[in-house]
Amino acid sequence: MEDDSYFENEEFSPIKSLLGLLTFSTILPINVYTSIEYMTKLTWCWPFLHVLVGILAAVCGYISFEVLHLNALFTAVIVYAFLMLITGYNHLDGVMDMADGVMVHGDPERKISVMKDSSVGAGGVATLFLVASLTIAGLYNILDYYFILGIIVCEMAAKTSLITTALLSKPLIPGIGSYFIKETTIVNYLVSTILVICIAFLLGNLIGVVGVLGAIVGGIIIATISKRNFILANGDVLGMSNETGRLFALLFMAIALYFI
């Protein structure tokens, strides 16, 4: 994706760029490709594209829970597995790589070197296990309240977390992540987030809104950790933010479902 010579004479097309972004982040058979520069111009639209992914996951959850009558825990595992599969396990390496970089001692250069290393350490494996386990627990919790639409909210909000981190970060160049960070501005971020909150409200009233707020908190936390450890951020940091954002959205919705 970093060699864009093939797209040298390409003209910008919003529809093609959106489909290219969906091709980039899922295994859906769309197969529309565009230059990384054009694709990332619409980074702020990423949450809306993943409403589709969330709907597919919610349908999977509904069939498992209501049609096949599987219990909430089994359904939660199936939904999480479906989300990971349809997104091509896109961000799991980011979780492990960033965790390894944070865990190692040394200056930012040393930490970045470890983060970009292809090998995975114990810290990365353990962090992935914790994030996955807690996400499944969060899905189990909202399913226990029969809030299946929360699956759509958490998947959409995961991308809001990602662009929150992108907004608050300085890019590590070169790298694909730098393009997403550069294209995230305060204006398009606010437009995106306001629309996401409106969609979340339609799906789950205040519960949905709380879920989006949780994802934003997750994005802020990852941006802060990244800044303290690496100063700069790359695609691994954004990947960690995506997975953490989904988790925090589920956590906040689980708490809200109990109290509201």
Side-chain angles (χ1 to χ4, degrees), residues 33-65:
Y33 301 96
T34 185
S35 68
I36 190 70
E37 289 91 348
Y38 283 164
M39 184 181 74
T40 53
K41 282 186 181 298
L42 297 175
T43 297
W44 66 276
C45 294
W46 218 349
F48 313 120
L49 295 177
H50 274 253
V51 170
L52 172 61
V53 176
I55 290 172
L56 294 174
V59 170
C60 177
Y62 179 82
I63 293 172
S64 299
F65 198 46

Side-chain angles (χ1 to χ4, degrees), residues 143 230 259:
L143 287 168
F230 313 116
F259 286 103

Side-chain angles (χ1 to χ4, degrees), residues 20-259:
L21 192 57
L22 197 57
T23 298
F24 173 78
S25 62
T26 70
I27 62 168
L28 294 173
I30 301 167
N31 298 325
V32 174
Y33 301 96
T34 185
S35 68
I36 190 70
E37 289 91 348
Y38 283 164
M39 184 181 74
T40 53
K41 282 186 181 298
L42 297 175
T43 297
W44 66 276
C45 294
W46 218 349
F48 313 120
L49 295 177
H50 274 253
V51 170
L52 172 61
V53 176
I55 290 172
L56 294 174
V59 170
C60 177
Y62 179 82
I63 293 172
S64 299
F65 198 46
E66 299 289 351
V67 179
L68 300 178
H69 300 291
L70 302 178
N71 63 42
L73 178 58
F74 202 171
T75 300
V77 174
I78 290 172
V79 169
Y80 181 74
F82 179 85
L83 284 172
M84 294 303 101
L85 179 63
I86 199 171
T87 56
Y89 306 99
N90 204 19
H91 299 300
L92 299 190
D93 61 331
V95 174
M96 294 186 289
D97 291 342
M98 181 178 172
D100 281 339
V102 169
M103 294 299 175
V104 74
H105 294 289
D107 57 19
E109 289 76 15
R110 165 66 174 158
K111 288 176 173 287
I112 289 172
S113 175
V114 170
M115 180 169 62
K116 294 173 70 175
D117 194 293
S118 58
S119 61
V120 180
V125 174
T127 301
L128 178 59
F129 174 79
L130 289 172
V131 170
S133 299
L134 290 170
T135 300
I136 290 170
L139 289 167
Y140 168 80
N141 202 295
I142 66 168
L143 287 168
D144 206 36
Y145 283 95
Y146 296 93
F147 185 41
I148 292 179
L149 291 179
I151 297 171
I152 304 174
V153 174
C154 76
E155 181 58 27
M156 174 180 64
K159 286 295 181 284
T160 295
S161 176
L162 186 155
I163 64 174
T164 299
T165 298
L167 178 70
L168 300 175
S169 301
K170 293 181 179 180
L172 176 64
I173 302 173
I176 291 177
S178 65
Y179 292 94
F180 292 101
I181 294 172
K182 288 177 182 177
E183 292 296 338
T184 305
T185 67
I186 186 64
V187 174
N188 62 37
Y189 174 80
L190 288 175
V191 171
S192 176
T193 304
I194 290 169
L195 291 175
V196 164
I197 288 173
C198 291
I199 295 171
F201 181 78
L202 292 174
L203 291 170
N205 296 318
L206 288 178
I207 306 297
V209 174
V210 169
V212 176
L213 295 178
I216 292 171
V217 170
I220 293 171
I221 290 173
I222 295 302
T224 302
I225 293 173
S226 173
K227 196 168 293 184
R228 288 181 178 177
N229 285 273
F230 313 116
I231 300 176
L232 307 174
N234 67 353
D236 290 327
V237 173
L238 298 183
M240 172 69 93
S241 180
N242 187 88
E243 299 307 300
T244 302
R246 185 188 295 112
L247 170 56
F248 270 72
L250 289 166
L251 171 62
F252 275 52
M253 285 192 290
I255 295 170
L257 281 165
Y258 179 80
F259 286 103

